Amino acid sequence: MSERRQLALNLFIYPGGHHEAAWRYKGSSASRAFDIGYYQQLARTAEHYKFDAIFFADGPALADNVRYAQRFRFEPITWLSAIAAATSRIGLIGTASTTYHEPYNLARLFTSLDHLSGGRAGWNIVTTSAPQAAQNFGLPEHPPHHERYERAKEFLDVVTALWDSWEDDAVVNDPASGIFADTDKVHPLNHVGKYFRVRGPLNVPRSPQGRPVYVQAGSSEDGRAFAARFAEAIFTAHQTLASAQGFYADIKRQARALDRNPDHVKILPGISPFIGSTQAEADRLQEEFNDLIQPEYSLVQLRQMLGLDLSGFDLDGPFPRHLIEADGARGVASRFKLVVDIVDRKKPTIRQLIQRLAGARGHWVIAGTPEKIADNIQAWFEQDAADGFNVMPPWLPGGFDLFAEHVVPILRKRGLFREDYTGRTLREHYGLDRPDSAYSHQVQAIA
C-alpha cells in the first residue's frame, strides 16, 4: 500500500512579514529587521514544526518605494549560510538571477551552501523583472523578457554541467597514496554558446544533493515552459482555485511531454493567512492591517505591476480599466495578468484593489479560523491545484506562530503533513531523487 501524498510547506520570510504595512503593526518585530538572530529563530521555529524549507527572496536593485516599507534585500547566500549554522534539517532556498550573475560564480556559491548545510540548498531561479537593475551592472537597459529566458536556458545548461563536472567518486582523499582526486573523473565543459564561454570544471567537488534543488518563480508563458523543463519546485501566485488548477494541469502536462515525472515538479502557491479564533476576529485583524496602508507605497507598487500612475485619482473611485495597456513587454508578465484578472472579476475601486494587493503582492490572502485555513489548503491540495504552499505570514513572527501552532496540528491530524522528517536533505523532504552526474552516465554507456 503506497504512502499517502503529503503537503510540502515552506516559510517565505520577508523582514517584517508579507503585508506591506506589517512593519507598522504593533505585534511586529520591525526593530529586529537587521538582526540575524531574529531570522535564525524564525528558521528554528519552522524546523521545529518540520517545514520543508525557508525561502528568501532577492532582487539586485533597491525598490522604488523603500521610503514606506522594509523592502531592503540581504544577499541570500550570506544570509542562508548563517541560517544553516543555526539549524540542521530545514531546507534553505535562496533567489539568484540568471540575468545578473555568471554561471561559474553562481554554481560555486550554491555548491558551497549545499556542502556547508549538509545538502539543504535550493536555488530560486529568476530572470529579474525590475528594469532598474540593469544600471547596477553596467547595462544601458534591461534585456527584453524573451531574451532573458533564452539566456536563462543556456545559464541552466552551463550550471548543471558545472555541478555534474565532478563524478560522485572523483574524490579519493587517500593520504597513503597521495591521491586526493581521480582527475579522470573531473571533467571540463569547454562550453561556447550565445551568452557564455565557460571552460570548467567547477573547483568544488559534487555536493551532498548532487545539485541544489531547482526552484522557479515565473508564471508567464516563457516562465511556464522554462519551469516544465528545469524546475523541481515552482512558486506561483493565484487568487482562485480554478486559476491554480489551470496552472497545475498545464505545468504537469508540459513536464510529462518532456519525459519528466510530473510528481517531481512540486507546485507551491503562496498563501498569506490572517488567523483568528472566529471569522469576525480574523476579519478585524485584516482590517487592522489595511488601516495601516500608506497609499503612497501602494500606488508605486501598482505602477510597477501595471505601468499605470494613479497618484492623481480618487482612491474611492472605480478603477480605470480602460487605461491598462496590455501590449508590450509588461503584458506578458504573470503578475500583470493576475492584477488585470482581479480588476475584471471584482470591478474594485482603486482603494479596494490596493488593499487586496497589500496583503501579499498578488498571492492568495485568506482570513478565517484555523479550521477554515486548513480546509482551504486541503481543498487546493486534493483538487489538483497545489502540491503544497509557500506560507507567507502577514507579519512576523506572530503570524507564523499562529499558523504553526494552530493550522499545522489540524493538517497533521488529517494525515496531510509530516509528524517528523524522514530525511536530511531538501531533496528528501520534497521526495526528489538525487541525480547522478551526467558524466557518470556517459562512462557507464561507454563501459
Side-chain angles (χ1 to χ4, degrees), residues 131 223 271 363 421:
I271 181 172
H363 287 275
Y421 294 116

Side-chain angles (χ1 to χ4, degrees), residues 59-66 71-73 132 136:
L62 182 66
D64 291 341
N65 46 13
V66 71
R71 291 300 182 252
F72 60 89
R73 302 291 195 187
Q132 64 267 36
N136 293 333

Side-chain angles (χ1 to χ4, degrees), residues 79-385:
W79 184 89
L80 288 170
S81 296
I83 301 297
T87 56
S88 61
R89 303 291 280 275
I90 195 162
L92 307 164
I93 301 173
T95 300
S97 172
T98 57
T99 305
Y100 297 110
H101 277 89
E102 287 294 318
Y104 196 89
N105 281 343
L106 184 140
R108 292 184 69 215
L109 288 167
F110 276 95
T111 295
S112 298
L113 178 62
D114 206 47
H115 274 291
L116 70 87
S117 66
R120 295 186 281 143
W123 171 29
N124 179 40
I125 307 159
V126 298
T127 65
T128 302
S129 60
Q132 64 267 36
Q135 297 176 31
N136 293 333
F137 295 87
L139 298 180
E141 61 183 11
H142 195 45
H145 185 273
H146 185 69
E147 182 180 321
R148 297 200 308 273
Y149 272 98
E150 285 300 310
R151 175 187 164 100
K153 291 175 186 176
E154 185 179 339
F155 195 112
L156 262 290
D157 288 339
V158 175
V159 167
T160 300
L162 286 168
W163 281 335
D164 284 0
S165 60
W166 290 62
E167 295 180 36
D168 284 320
D169 57 351
V171 175
V172 178
N173 204 22
D174 181 14
S177 68
I179 302 298
F180 173 73
D182 182 346
T183 49
D184 289 337
K185 296 182 178 182
V186 182
H187 305 275
L189 275 63
N190 296 317
H191 173 89
V192 179
K194 180 178 180 180
Y195 297 100
F196 306 109
R197 296 173 64 93
V198 181
R199 180 184 179 274
L202 199 62
N203 60 354
V204 184
R206 205 150 190 260
S207 70
Q209 293 188 109
R211 306 169 206 145
V213 174
Y214 292 160
V215 183
Q216 191 265 357
S219 298
S220 65
E221 291 305 312
D222 284 334
R224 292 185 188 205
F226 184 87
R229 176 179 172 184
F230 293 108
E232 295 167 300
I234 301 173
F235 298 164
T236 182
H238 297 281
Q239 291 281 318
T240 67
L241 174 64
S243 171
Q245 287 173 321
F247 179 86
Y248 188 97
D250 182 49
I251 292 294
K252 300 288 186 174
R253 176 190 60 78
Q254 290 194 51
R256 196 176 291 108
L258 292 168
D259 292 326
R260 297 189 62 198
N261 182 345
D263 292 338
H264 291 174
V265 184
K266 305 296 182 182
I267 297 177
L268 309 172
I271 181 172
S272 187
F274 288 90
I275 302 171
S277 58
T278 65
Q279 184 65 49
E281 182 181 306
D283 290 339
R284 283 196 301 271
L285 179 63
Q286 186 173 12
E287 289 170 6
E288 190 173 350
F289 274 79
N290 285 341
D291 287 343
L292 298 173
I293 289 173
Q294 299 178 89
E296 297 89 345
Y297 176 94
S298 306
L299 293 175
V300 170
Q301 180 168 269
L302 199 58
R303 187 189 71 215
Q304 291 171 343
M305 291 180 177
L306 298 180
L308 193 60
D309 186 357
L310 300 177
S311 56
F313 285 70
D314 178 7
L315 294 182
D316 294 309
F319 185 90
R321 173 66 172 85
H322 62 285
L323 295 180
I324 297 177
E325 297 180 4
D327 297 334
R330 195 181 302 273
V332 303
S334 56
R335 203 55 56 92
F336 175 95
K337 294 178 179 179
L338 184 148
V339 176
V340 171
D341 177 66
I342 293 172
V343 172
D344 289 342
R345 284 189 298 107
K346 298 295 185 180
K347 306 294 189 296
T349 65
I350 296 173
R351 190 184 304 278
Q352 287 169 338
L353 181 62
I354 63 177
Q355 287 180 344
R356 191 176 186 97
L357 296 175
R361 306 170 305 285
H363 287 275
W364 181 29
V365 177
I366 180 172
T369 63
E371 290 78 11
K372 177 183 175 180
I373 306 302
D375 288 346
N376 278 268
I377 287 174
Q378 183 172 0
W380 282 44
F381 181 60
E382 293 182 344
Q383 295 179 42
D384 294 334

